[in-house]
Every structure is written in structure tokens, then in C-alpha cells.
């Protein structure tokens, strides 16, 4: 595998062989069998348009443990606000264009990490991933996606590594991605990326969600194509309890409805009918010794009960730990 | 002394021998006789619920000079807000529980530093130190207190080191902890920790404050017990000028009244009667070649006059410097 | 040259020989012919009163590449607000004095970088540079200016290095500093410092601006004195297109009018008459194979057209890169 100097924007840009090699390297790192410092003397810029706990911390530590240095920028807080549209007259509130930000940072650093959540005003526009893709276009160094409007590939890679750790093998395992209630509409990057990577690796995936919360058509097309190519299966369910029965992995996550973008009040009204979409002990008992997974942060007793999250079949903290290892694996491989 | 893997939440959790060993090591570090790098390759997370200048800077540098790396999180600014109550339905504004934050950080770092000031709504609740204690409970790695509602142990250790530097010996020295005027009610962690550590080491301590600003009963019990065990003495005074006369150390600090928690306007009204509680040149002349001490930040000409703060008997900058050395000593000893 | 332990507040504090030596070292660093790590084991504090992208990032990386560590403070966001006036009763909203901040940081670090924009209420007061000069006065370690009300010397040094790279020689080259339209009044540190350093080095400088935007009298005096000493020339123009004709360097920048300080609405009203002060392809064609320069951030199609900024004669990204190299050269020389 040679993925030197490539961007890491979505797992869909990489073959199963490349992703497997990355997870293999992450496992070696986790086992403390990797002691190289390929980033010695080099810096990585982390550009945050949105808040972060795990991502900032795990990236700063990933770079440090590879011998390097990070410089973190919180856009809008302590730095300039950034324009990302092309050919625009910049007479509004944006003081700098990502062309300059990306080009300048390229002169200083070996890679740029970017976190840019969707604005959730317009679904089609958000799905362009204009900020992250803009950085990738104008940067001369690799750009890694720390969660964009559309994808969260480090999370997906950590999730897949966690499933492999828990189940041993990946192929044809029964996995449920279950929508869960949450008081506010959240971005779709995590469910998109989780569904995509499990489809890429041929797992038997059921997406359980109310009809208002179906993933986008183009996204489903990409997921179905990946699943067909790998010999997997993708099913849809409106009954999360039934879907979870007999499954090996219950991946809970709340997200907003694409048709409600621009109208959060309508989304909040719609989701009230689904307040019982919560993973509890009864759901977990119905699984095949299933594991509970969540990308965190999670609202206790809203998305999942204390009992499940604190229980022995909860993999949430392992997923978070694996974020560190896969990030090191990706950085060591592309830099 | 072996205090490996212990939390550092209050000096009251440590014996005089342990605290003395920490100050001895800090003095060795200050004298540049310590060049080990016990944190090489390891990271420390610093979690700030409140602003900081000295603490952030001195902790980042302490870790760096011990060979390690810090990752700093400003909760609520650029990161998720954290819930710390148990068994709660998280449907409000808190997006993550400290259980997850502590458990996840434990997978990434060798230690976690936490700063969490009191909310000052309810004294009894604040004195539980729920945030710092919660991190300590759920973390698998040592937690160090960067100032909680109740205690500021690094400050107290730096203060004791400074007194030892200035006076040579500690036992039975006459020390005054004097309340001072300040336009706003401030937390009580510094006076609590200063009184406790001077009591632990048998100094002759007078706490001078208006009756509305007495330290809490439970806190006074702990201070009195420590003083009795060490053969020291604790006195109370309502006349700070009289108390300072003949003293060796004048430790000035403003704090809020415990009975005003939840009602800051009442506190502000009450403190107007004590606007003259300020350390000035006359007070200092009445001492026994006494030293002025303050933890900083300090309001000039409100808490202390320019003349005293800038004078030759001011130890405020030395205290701040010693923060660095004691923090290195503690980290090197517990990690 | 020996400039050890000197502050770096304005290029006007240094001789041409010293500045040339700094640029020579920066060029050596850029060519990767300098591999020393003079900051190993040492820390530099970066104190930001205002937002920053290039400056924070390039300083953090400069210090790292010299072997050292940075600690960054955002004043007012996550740290205490700072008072800088002398002999003041601190009973307002400022919680700490820069005397203490500077003295304490001096105990922790090898140098302090300070960014403090003007408040733009009172021109004469802003031109005192009270914050940066206050840090320099009270600090025991060198202070470097990361852009003050009056000067931005790292930018000026990077600009001069860029001109030398592009033109080969400096003496008597025709350079235009052109005011440009921008919707808001901006600080004057960049035009002040650019005009000063080009005057110090004997370039043939034309300052093109509407009459409301003349630089201050004292500043012009300093610029004219420097130019006279170096055998250069300083001219003033009210017609930026005419001024740019035949020039080798077009340095565009918007700034506020000194007579409008305290009255931004009057400035905004006045500048509407100059909306056409924008560098476009026609202006660039009229030059003598001229280079477009800008310190960034820049508003596209307001200050400069996309075509010029993205064109082959744009030096803006090179200037930004050179910030890193000159900052390393200065830090390596003063520490």
C-alpha cells in the first residue's frame, strides 16, 4: 500500500485493502509494536469550525506521539472567519478566503486537519462539503477530514477497528445503525460514514430510522453500491427494536432529517413522536450477545440508558480510544 | 515517599512528609539540579471550566520541561458542555457526561488536570467539588486539581514553599490570612487551601475577616484538626490591622461570603462596609519584617497598594514562579 | 551583530546591518541550511488580545522548529482581562495588571510575544502602543511585537525579504504602498511598518491614499527621516493608478483614517467615495513587471481582484511563508 500525500476525506476514496492496512497498522500501534516518529520536526494544522473534545485531543496526541507538533485554529473564535465560495465579492462578514488559508498553511505544515459541520440550512449545499473540499483543493499538503457535513472517516475507521476487535471477523456480521431520539437535530456525517464503511466491508447492515430520518438518496446510492461490490446486504427498518433482535452490533446515533434543513423547529416537532427510540437493556438482551456502540458525545438516558452505556457490552470508550490509533495510522501512512 | 498514581486534589490528602518531599523536589528543580524527563512521550490533558493565565501557562510549561505534551480543553468554548450529576436524563443543554469525558481522556493521557470554579449558587453543593471529584472517580489516570470550588492545592504548595524560602523555617511562624475588599464576591478555594496547609505545618495562623466572610464550619473543622495534629495555632480576628501587627507573613485575599451564595447582590452590599480592608504601607510597617503574599490576579489599590505590591517585601511574583516548580514536582512524583 | 536579549518592537529600533543580517539568516533557514535548535527546553508565551491565523500558527511553528515550546494566551477569552494604565484603582472590569502578567510570564518563559490591536477610539493614545510597550517595560525577558497599534515589524521584515527575493536588490526600487477600499476601518500597523522599513532601506516609495487616509504626522516624520538617512525618496499621491504605473512593487492595504478614530461611522461614510481603489489587472499591466503584495487576510474583489491575487505576479503567499522564516531568524538571534 502506498497512500503517501493523499487526502483522507472519506473511506469511500480508499480500497478495502488500503483501509485494512490502516486498521492493521492501528492495531500494531495499539499493541505498542510501532515506535517510529515519522512526523519528527513537522507540524500539522488543525482547523476547527466547530467544537471538539475527542477529536482535538486525540489529534494533538496522535501527532505528538508520531514525533510532531500541532497548531490548532478555532475559526471565528480567535481567528478570522473564512469565505469558501468561489468568485465572490467579499464585502460581507467573512475576512479571509479558504484559498489563502489553505495556501498559507501549506507553506507551514505537513498536513491540515479540518472540522466543518453542516450549516443545516440547505441539505444539498451541505452535502457538497465545500469547506473541507475547498481546503483539499487549495492545499499543497494532504488534508484530513475531522468531520465534515457529509463524512467522519476517522470515526468510521475507528468503528470498524472496534467491530473487528469485538467480533473477530467483519464479513456478513449483523449490524444495526439505529436512529435515536435527541432533543435537537444533529449532523449526519457519522451515520453516513458508518453505513458506508460497513457496506464497503460486506457487513449485513440494517438502518433503522423513522421515515423522516432516511439518509439522503445519493448517500444511499453510494452505500448500496459499496455493499453490492463487497457482497454485503443493506436493509431498512422502521422498527428499531425488531431490527436489533439477533444483531451483533447496535450502533446508536441521532441525526436530523434532510427535509427539515432550514427549519429546525419542524424537525423538533417531528421527532417528538419518536422519544422512545432509545437503546435500553431490553433491546440489548434481544441481540446475539451484541455490542453497544456510539461515537460520543452521548446524552445519557435520552439516546441510551445508563445501564447499557456503563454495561459490559458497551464499546463506546473503546471506539474513542481507537480514534487515536487509527489517526496515527492514517497520518503515518499519508505523511 | 511513593505517591505514584495518586490524585492531587487537596493537600489534606497528603502527609507532612509527603508534602515536604514535594517541596524539597520543587526546590531542587528551581535550583536546576533536576534534569529528568519522566513524561517523555506522554501527554497530560488540561480541562478548563474557567479562565486561567498562570495555571494554563505554568502547567503547559511544567509538562513540557518534564519532557511531555499537554492538550488543553476549554469546556463550553470550543468543546462540549459537561454534565456531572449522576442518573440524570440529559435532555437539557449539557451534551456530554464527565463519565465519558474522564474515561475517554484516560485512554489518551497519563494525567488529567481540571479547573472548575464554584457556581456560587449553593455553598453546600459547591463544597462537594462534584466536577473535580467526578473526574477523579471516573478517570483511570491521576487527576490533579487546578483549582476547584473548595481547594487550590498547587497554590497552597507554592505558597508554603515561598514561606519556607523567605523565613527559613515554618514551625510556629506568625502568619495572617487577611480578607480584603474587592468589588465582586470571589471563590474560597485559595483561602481554604492556604489556611489548611499552614495549619498542617503547625504555623501560628490568624484568619482576619469580617463576620460575613468566615470560612465554612466544615472547612474550619478540618483546619483546626490539622493545626491540633501539628501543634500549631489558629486564631480568628475581626481587625485585620491588629492581626497583621508583628506578623511574618501577610497573605491577602478577597473571597465571597458563604451565606450569600445565590445572592451576589447581598454580598456586594455587605462588603461595602469593608472597603478599607486593603494592605498598605502602614500595615506592612507594623509587621515583623513581614512579607506580602497574594496568589494573583490582584486588583491594584483595591486589595493592595502599588507601593506594597511593587515593594521589596512583596513575594507575589515568587509565589507565581513557585507554582511552576511545585507542579513539576507533583507531576514527576505521581507519574 | 549581537542583538541578544533585545526586544523586537519596531524595525526602527534596529540598524540596516542588523535587519539585513536577520533577513540573511531567514534566507538560510528557508534554504534549509540552518538546523540549530537554540530554543531546546525553552518556552515562549504568545499573548493575543486579538484574533490571528498566520501569526499564531507561524509563531508556534517557528518556536517548535527552533526546538522550543509555546504557550498561547487569548486575553479575555479563557484568561483574565488586563489593565495597562499606571497608578490606577482597579475597581472596574480589569482583573489583572500587565505588570503582574509580564513579571510572572518572565519567570516561566524565554520570550513573550504580544498582539494588541488599537482600540481606535483615540489615535494619539493608540500610537503610544501602551500594551506592547508595557509588556516590554515589565518583562525581564525579550518581548516581540506580533502586531501592535503602531507597528507590525515581523510583517515588514517578511515583506522586505520578499521584495529582495523578487527584485534581487532593494536600493531605489520603485515601490507603491496603495490604500485600498474595504468596508470597515482597519488598523494602521501594517502600512506604518511597511513604509518605515522601505524608507530605512532607501527604496523609492510612493504612498497613494485619499487625503482622509494620510498616515499620522509623527509617523511620516519617522518615515521621512529614515528615507533621508538612507538616500531614498518618499512621495505622496492621490491617484493610485497613476502612482502604480511603472512601479516594481504594488503593496495594497486598507486602513482607517486617523481623524475618524472614535467615529467609525464617519470613516465608513468617507470611504464610500473610494470604492474603486482596488488593484486589478489593468493596474498590474501598467507596472514594470510589478509584483502584487498584501499581508493577508485580504478581501477578494474588494481590495484586489481574483485575477491579480491568483496571478503569477502575486507574492502574497510568499510573504506569508516568509513570516515563518523571519520569525525564526529573530527568535534565534535575540534568544
Amino acid at each position: 500500500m502506498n497512500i503517501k500525500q493523499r487526502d483522507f476525506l472519506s473511506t469511500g476514496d480508499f480500497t478495502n485493502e488500503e483501509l485494512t492496512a490502516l486498521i492493521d497498522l492501528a492495531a500494531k500501534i495499539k499493541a505498542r509494536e510501532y515506535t517510529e516518529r515519522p512526523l519528527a520536526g513537522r507540524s500539522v494544522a488543525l482547523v476547527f469550525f466547530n467544537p471538539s473534545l475527542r477529536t482535538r485531543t486525540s489529534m494533538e496526541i496522535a501527532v505528538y506521539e508520531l514525533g510532531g507538533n500541532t497548531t490548532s485554529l478555532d475559526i471565528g473564535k480567535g481567528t478570522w472567519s473564512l469565505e469558501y465560495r468561489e468568485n465572490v465579492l467579499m464585502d460581507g462578514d467573512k475576512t479571509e478566503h479558504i484559498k489563502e488559508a489553505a495556501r498559507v498553511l501549506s507553506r507551514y505544515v505537513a498536513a491540515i486537519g479540518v472540522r466543518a459541520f453542516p450549516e443545516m440550512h440547505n441539505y444539498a449545499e451541505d452535502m457538497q462539503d465545500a469547506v473541507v473540499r475547498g481546503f483539499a483543493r487549495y492545499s499543497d499538503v494532504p488534508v484530513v477530514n475531522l468531520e465534515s457535513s457529509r463524512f467522519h472517516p476517522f470515526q468510521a475507521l475507528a468503528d470498524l477497528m472496534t467491530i473487528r476487535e469485538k467480533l473477530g471477523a467483519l464479513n456478513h456480521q449483523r449490524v444495526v445503525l439505529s436512529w435515536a431520539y435527541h432533543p435537537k437535530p444533529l449532523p449526519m456525517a457519522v451515520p453516513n460514514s458508518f453505513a458506508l464503511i460497513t457496506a464497503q466491508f460486506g457487513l449485513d447492515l440494517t438502518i433503522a430510522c423513522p421515515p423522516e430520518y432516511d439518509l439522503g438518496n445519493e448517500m444511499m446510492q453510494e452505500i448500496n453500491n459499496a455493499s453490492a461490490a463487497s457482497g454485503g446486504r443493506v436493509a431498512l427498518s422502521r422498527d428499531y427494536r425488531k431490527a436489533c433482535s439477533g444483531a451483533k452490533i447496535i450502533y446508536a446515533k441521532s441525526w436530523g432529517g434532510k427535509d427539515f434543513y432550514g427549519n429546525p423547529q419542524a424537525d423538533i416537532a417531528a421527532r417528538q413522536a419518536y422519544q422512545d427510540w432509545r437503546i435500553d437493556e431490553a433491546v440489548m438482551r434481544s441481540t446475539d450477545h451484541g455490542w453497544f456502540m456510539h461515537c460520543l458525545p452521548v446524552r445519557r438516558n435520552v439516546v441510551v440508558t445508563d445501564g447499557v452505556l456503563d454495561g459490559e457490552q458497551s464499546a463506546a470508550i473503546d471506539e474513542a480510544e481507537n480514534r487515536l490509533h487509527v489517526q496515527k495510522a492514517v497520518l503515518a501512512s499519508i505523511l
Side-chain angles (χ1 to χ4, degrees), chain A:
Chain A
M1 176 186 67
N2 185 343
I3 58 171
K4 289 290 176 214
Q5 293 301 308
R6 282 181 59 187
D7 297 322
F8 187 73
L9 303 185
S10 169
T11 59
D13 301 333
F14 293 83
T15 66
N16 283 19
E17 290 66 34
E18 289 166 339
L19 296 171
T20 300
L22 288 168
I23 293 179
D24 289 344
L25 178 55
K28 198 173 152 189
I29 290 168
K30 188 173 188 175
R32 298 174 187 276
E33 291 163 9
Y34 177 93
T35 55
E36 294 171 44
R37 289 163 59 85
L39 294 186
R42 297 203 279 172
S43 295
V44 174
L46 305 180
V47 182
F48 290 97
F49 288 79
N50 305 97
S52 162
L53 185 151
R54 259 159 301 283
T55 295
R56 175 189 298 263
T57 300
S58 61
M59 280 300 291
E60 289 184 355
I61 295 173
V63 172
Y64 170 71
E65 293 184 354
L66 293 173
N69 170 54
T70 49
T71 179
S72 294
L73 298 164
D74 292 298
I75 301 300
K77 301 183 213 69
T79 53
W80 314 106
S81 55
L82 292 183
E83 175 64 71
Y84 58 84
R85 294 168 299 169
E86 297 284 334
N87 307 316
V88 69
L89 177 75
M90 288 175 59
D91 61 354
D93 61 339
K94 300 298 176 64
T95 53
E96 176 141 52
H97 200 284
I98 58 170
K99 286 188 189 183
E100 277 67 61
R103 287 167 178 166
V104 169
L105 288 175
S106 295
R107 300 286 181 100
Y108 297 158
V109 298
I112 302 171
V114 180
R115 161 163 287 200
F117 289 174
E119 297 185 2
M120 300 187 79
H121 297 318
N122 180 312
Y123 178 77
E125 211 173 85
D126 279 343
M127 288 307 110
Q128 300 300 315
D129 263 353
V131 174
V132 171
R133 297 262 163 204
F135 266 97
R137 184 173 314 121
Y138 295 112
S139 169
D140 297 321
V141 298
V143 170
V144 298
N145 182 352
L146 306 178
E147 187 173 347
S148 66
S149 301
R150 193 170 169 88
F151 292 118
H152 196 349
F154 280 136
Q155 184 65 49
L157 205 57
D159 292 337
L160 198 72
M161 177 179 177
T162 307
I163 294 175
R164 202 174 77 168
E165 288 177 347
K166 299 303 186 192
L167 303 186
L170 293 171
N171 233 21
H172 303 299
Q173 300 281 7
R174 273 202 58 205
V175 171
V176 177
L177 167 62
S178 179
W179 186 89
Y181 176 76
H182 184 288
K184 291 185 208 159
L186 298 179
M188 299 164 81
V190 168
N192 284 348
S193 277
F194 181 78
L196 179 59
I197 203 167
T198 49
Q200 287 181 273
F201 277 82
L203 282 81
D204 180 351
L205 171 69
T206 301
I207 302 174
C209 64
E212 294 91 335
Y213 297 97
D214 279 340
L215 300 182
N217 287 337
E218 286 182 39
M219 196 60 235
M220 283 308 305
Q221 187 98 49
E222 186 173 351
I223 292 164
N224 284 323
N225 289 348
S227 185
S230 67
R233 208 181 67 101
V234 181
L236 197 65
S237 166
R238 298 298 178 213
D239 182 338
Y240 82 101
R241 290 186 178 271
K242 200 176 285 183
C244 291
S245 174
K248 292 285 187 63
I249 298 288
I250 308 301
Y251 197 95
K253 180 77 185 85
S254 195
W255 63 84
K258 62 190 186 310
D259 300 329
F260 299 123
Y261 273 51
N263 190 358
Q265 291 311 315
D267 191 318
I268 289 168
R271 62 180 53 222
Q272 299 314 312
Y274 309 111
Q275 290 204 21
D276 60 326
W277 285 62
R278 174 188 304 111
I279 306 300
D280 59 18
E281 287 83 341
V283 170
M284 294 308 294
R285 274 194 300 271
S286 78
T287 65
D288 180 11
H289 302 95
W291 290 88
F292 172 80
M293 295 180 68
H294 192 282
C295 61
L296 304 179
V298 68
R299 285 174 179 247
R300 289 175 163 258
N301 303 310
V302 176
V303 166
V304 56
T305 60
D306 280 336
V308 170
L309 186 58
D310 294 333
E312 294 199 346
Q313 292 293 104
S314 173
I317 306 298
D318 294 319
E319 290 171 77
E321 177 181 341
N322 288 341
R323 285 285 303 277
L324 175 62
H325 306 308
V326 300
Q327 287 163 192
K328 289 173 70 174
V330 169
L331 291 171
S333 299
I334 66 175
L335 298 181

